[in-house]
Amino acid sequence: MTIAQIENLIRYVTNSEGKTTDVLVPLEIWQQLIHSLNTDNISGLAWIDEQEPKEQILADLQESVRLAAAGQTFPVSQLWEDATT
């Protein structure tokens, strides 16, 4: 969708003096905007993941390897359930 197409779907709210005070954006466009703002276009990772320090990423990986070597693994379904709660 082009900017021109988006602009045609946006509605402006004005006060009694005719001054623009707010913008109404269709939900689908709003969700796309939020997703775009929160996602790095190159890596596809969420912004928060892109900002995580490399040291923390390495520590998490080392901990995961340690747990796997100790046989402390979890079914993928359980990992997904934990992520959504």
Side-chain angles (χ1 to χ4, degrees):
M1 185 173 288
T2 67
I3 297 294
Q5 290 170 320
I6 292 172
E7 287 177 343
N8 287 331
L9 297 172
I10 293 173
R11 301 292 175 249
Y12 297 92
V13 178
T14 57
N15 61 17
S16 60
E17 298 166 356
K19 179 182 175 187
T20 302
T21 59
D22 295 286
V23 178
L24 298 176
V25 179
L27 183 58
E28 182 180 344
I29 293 173
W30 177 252
Q31 290 170 334
Q32 289 175 6
L33 287 170
I34 293 300
H35 177 73
S36 294
L37 291 172
N38 288 325
T39 304
D40 181 276
N41 290 332
I42 297 170
S43 70
L45 293 175
W47 182 86
I48 191 74
D49 294 328
E50 285 290 337
Q51 304 308 309
E52 188 172 15
K54 290 179 178 57
E55 295 79 15
Q56 183 61 49
I57 295 170
L58 180 58
D60 291 345
L61 179 59
Q62 289 171 332
E63 177 66 7
S64 295
V65 169
R66 186 190 68 73
L67 289 172
Q72 297 177 346
T73 60
F74 305 93
V76 172
S77 60
Q78 181 180 347
L79 296 174
W80 280 112
E81 288 172 10
D82 291 346
T84 60
T85 59

